[in-house]
Amino acid sequence: MPRISPELHLTLRLPDTDAPLRHRIAESILDEIRGGRLRPGDPLPSTRALAGHLTVARASVVDAYDELCSSGYANARAGSGTRIAPGADVAARAHVASHAVTRTSERAAQAVAATPEPRWDLTPGHPDPGLISTTDWRRAWRSAAAAPVTSDVPGPDGHPELRRALAGHLRRTRGIAARPDELVIVPGVGSALRTLVAAAGLGGRDVVFEEPGYTRARRDLESSGARTRCVPVDDDGLDPALLRSTDAAAYCTPAHQYPMGARMPVGRRARLVADAAASGTLIIEDDYDGEFRYDVSALPALRSIDRGPDCVAYVGTASKILTPAIRVAWAIAPPALRPGIVRALDTTGESCCAITALALAHFIDSGALSRHLARASRTYAARRSAFVAALQQQLSAVGTDGVGVAGIEAGLHVVLTLPRSVDDVALSAELQDHGVTVPSLADYRTTPGGPRGLVCGYARLPESQARGAAGVIGEVVCRHLH
């Protein structure tokens, strides 16, 4: 006879620790297994029911169940829910953790205890690689390692498996219809930008650039010979009205303007593409974290808009969706630039590691990337909500006029906007002294003027740490305002 569902009878008590919420939920379930209240074969409550019982975000419960399944404590089958796995009781009584636990020596533990404040690294642009499924990751690399070893150096037409996988991925997630032979695989966004400068003959010509904007991309363009012309962005991102007839190209981040976080509306997107197609201006669309959106619908990539394929060079990267350790990026350029791209890459010899590209192709084709994006989006949404709520609560309690939080609808960071009178460079330095690493908008400006603020990356900030980080930021900001 099947066991009675524990939906109404399972009572969990979350450990009172600083561990991430998903770990605490998983540990409370392990306590139930150790005590015999849950046994192998027992079904766990639905994620929705347990989230309601614990009054936490459902995403945290989903992540906890993923953790238990990954470690072998539970099994999840479509239509059957999640059940305790055979042997889970033995492992739980042996205190085998469901996740990696860092242990320190007594001296190291004392040193940590003596540290007056914890440190939080809110540097933007870094995803949490700990969210990648170890099982899926290892399977992809095993598949790549099993392929025959070749002596060929991949050129512009190399990596056919990854180009096919990415073509399908971009069609499903970004609405971009591109043939595999239109994609070029390169070792990073910087390589893509250098290649486009050479292929489009942008050396010595004006390239419109967002202000504030992605500093590394600006430097890559300038080091390749392009002359960047910075124009200020507004609440909707880059304004097409600011482009001139003498501009050869324009670099922009329409999905989530970096760093201010604006999402370019459809009307502005359509005008930007139409004007560029009419004037012969090349639009470089950096879709660095377009996969991550929260509570809003997806907007079409510039490349997918009518006439977009003729004037938009689309650039994407694995660095923001998986890890910066994967030096893989891709570009889809207008057909007229294809010969120039081939010549540029043949000249520089820049190429992506064939094994890495093959592993990423297997990761996409197996469905692991889709599962990862779904899991990561839930986690990032929960971390964003926790951090923003804590930040707003901290700042509202002391009445800070002229302070706001922008860019919360997408991406992996938000911007704490500040009055123009605030020295955000000094503010960032003081926060560093208080254990919070967070850059100021000055790192993204090219002139002394422009908006003031802090660019807060929350992707690696556990929900349990959000209040602590926001508290320090709020205290320091208030001192600079009063």
Side-chain angles (χ1 to χ4, degrees):
M1 178 181 295
R3 299 184 187 277
I4 299 175
S5 171
E7 293 274 347
L8 301 177
H9 307 290
L10 184 61
T11 301
L12 299 182
R13 294 177 177 82
L14 298 184
D16 186 16
T17 67
D18 290 334
L21 184 55
R22 66 180 185 276
H23 292 341
R24 294 162 60 204
I25 295 173
E27 185 59 35
S28 67
I29 293 174
L30 294 185
D31 285 340
E32 295 296 301
I33 298 174
R34 290 189 194 99
R37 293 176 293 276
L38 278 177
R39 300 178 181 176
D42 280 341
L44 289 172
S46 68
T47 54
R48 191 178 305 278
L50 186 54
H53 170 70
L54 297 176
T55 63
V56 299
R58 181 170 175 245
S60 298
V61 179
V62 172
D63 290 340
Y65 280 18
D66 287 343
E67 179 178 303
L68 291 170
C69 291
S70 297
S71 59
Y73 273 110
N75 294 319
R77 292 185 175 85
S80 300
T82 304
R83 293 178 178 270
I84 303 302
D89 49 346
V90 177
R93 286 194 293 271
H95 292 275
V96 178
S98 62
H99 59 277
V101 178
T102 302
R103 304 186 182 279
T104 60
S105 66
E106 182 178 351
R107 179 178 298 178
Q110 291 173 350
V112 171
T115 303
E117 294 174 318
R119 294 191 63 85
W120 295 282
D121 187 355
L122 304 186
T123 304
H126 292 271
D128 185 354
L131 301 177
I132 301 173
S133 165
T134 302
T135 300
D136 288 336
W137 190 246
R138 290 175 176 172
R139 183 179 295 120
W141 283 91
R142 283 197 299 268
S143 297
V149 178
T150 68
S151 60
D152 297 332
V153 177
D157 296 321
H159 314 298
E161 298 86 357
L162 180 55
R163 288 189 285 111
R164 283 195 297 269
L166 281 171
H169 171 74
L170 294 174
R171 176 180 52 79
R172 294 188 299 270
T173 62
R174 305 300 293 131
I176 297 175
R179 302 186 310 274
D181 61 5
E182 293 181 276
L183 276 82
V184 176
I185 308 301
V186 290
V189 171
S191 175
L193 296 179
R194 290 189 294 271
T195 301
L196 288 171
V197 168
L202 301 180
R205 304 173 69 189
D206 286 343
V207 175
V208 170
F209 199 84
E210 299 168 325
E211 170 76 10
Y214 184 26
T215 303
R216 184 174 299 175
R218 178 174 57 79
R219 290 172 178 167
D220 284 330
L221 291 169
E222 291 174 347
S223 66
S224 302
R227 186 172 57 232
T228 57
R229 188 177 72 83
C230 297
V231 300
V233 298
D234 58 23
D235 292 340
D236 290 330
L238 180 67
D239 186 350
L242 298 179
L243 271 65
R244 301 171 181 169
S245 59
T246 54
D247 294 324
Y251 168 93
C252 61
T253 51
H256 188 233
Q257 198 278 327
Y258 196 88
M260 297 304 295
R263 299 176 76 227
M264 186 181 291
V266 290
R268 183 169 286 191
R269 291 172 186 242
R271 179 183 173 183
L272 179 61
V273 171
D275 289 354
S279 64
T281 304
L282 175 67
I283 302 297
I284 302 175
E285 177 182 15
D286 189 343
D287 198 31
Y288 68 100
D289 63 0
E291 285 86 354
F292 298 118
R293 303 176 299 276
Y294 316 110
D295 308 321
V296 292
S297 58
L299 292 175
L302 299 181
R303 172 81 189 188
S304 68
I305 296 176
D306 184 38
R307 302 191 71 182
D310 297 327
C311 62
V312 177
Y314 177 92
V315 178
T317 176
S319 295
K320 302 299 184 290
I321 59 178
L322 291 171
T323 169
I326 297 295
R327 304 302 299 162
V328 178
W330 44 91
I332 311 174
L337 293 185
R338 177 71 184 187
I341 288 175
V342 172
R343 287 194 300 271
L345 291 177
D346 283 342
T347 299
T348 62
E350 290 189 279
S351 64
C352 179
C353 171
I355 298 176
T356 300
L358 193 55
L360 182 55
H362 284 297
F363 196 77
I364 298 172
D365 286 336
S366 67
L369 180 60
S370 295
R371 292 192 294 273
H372 168 74
L373 289 175
R375 183 185 307 114
S377 293
R378 293 192 298 265
T379 301
Y380 294 149
R383 291 177 179 177
R384 177 210 59 161
S385 297
F387 178 65
V388 170
L391 200 57
Q392 291 175 333
Q393 180 181 16
Q394 177 73 18
L395 295 172
S396 64
V398 293
T400 50
D401 294 332
V403 179
V405 182
I408 65 175
E409 295 179 332
L412 302 177
H413 73 270
V414 296
V415 176
L416 178 63
T417 56
L418 301 168
R420 293 291 180 97
S421 59
V422 174
D423 184 347
D424 53 4
V425 175
L427 178 59
S428 175
E430 185 173 341
L431 282 168
Q432 182 71 45
D433 293 338
H434 285 75
V436 180
T437 300
V438 56
S440 71
L441 280 175
D443 292 346
Y444 306 91
R445 300 192 298 262
T446 59
T447 63
R452 299 295 192 269
L454 300 172
V455 186
C456 309
Y458 53 77
R460 296 176 294 170
L461 181 67
E463 294 166 69
S464 60
Q465 297 292 316
R467 187 178 298 274
V472 175
I473 293 174
E475 291 175 5
V476 176
V477 167
C478 290
R479 283 201 296 273
H480 279 251
L481 290 172
H482 299 106

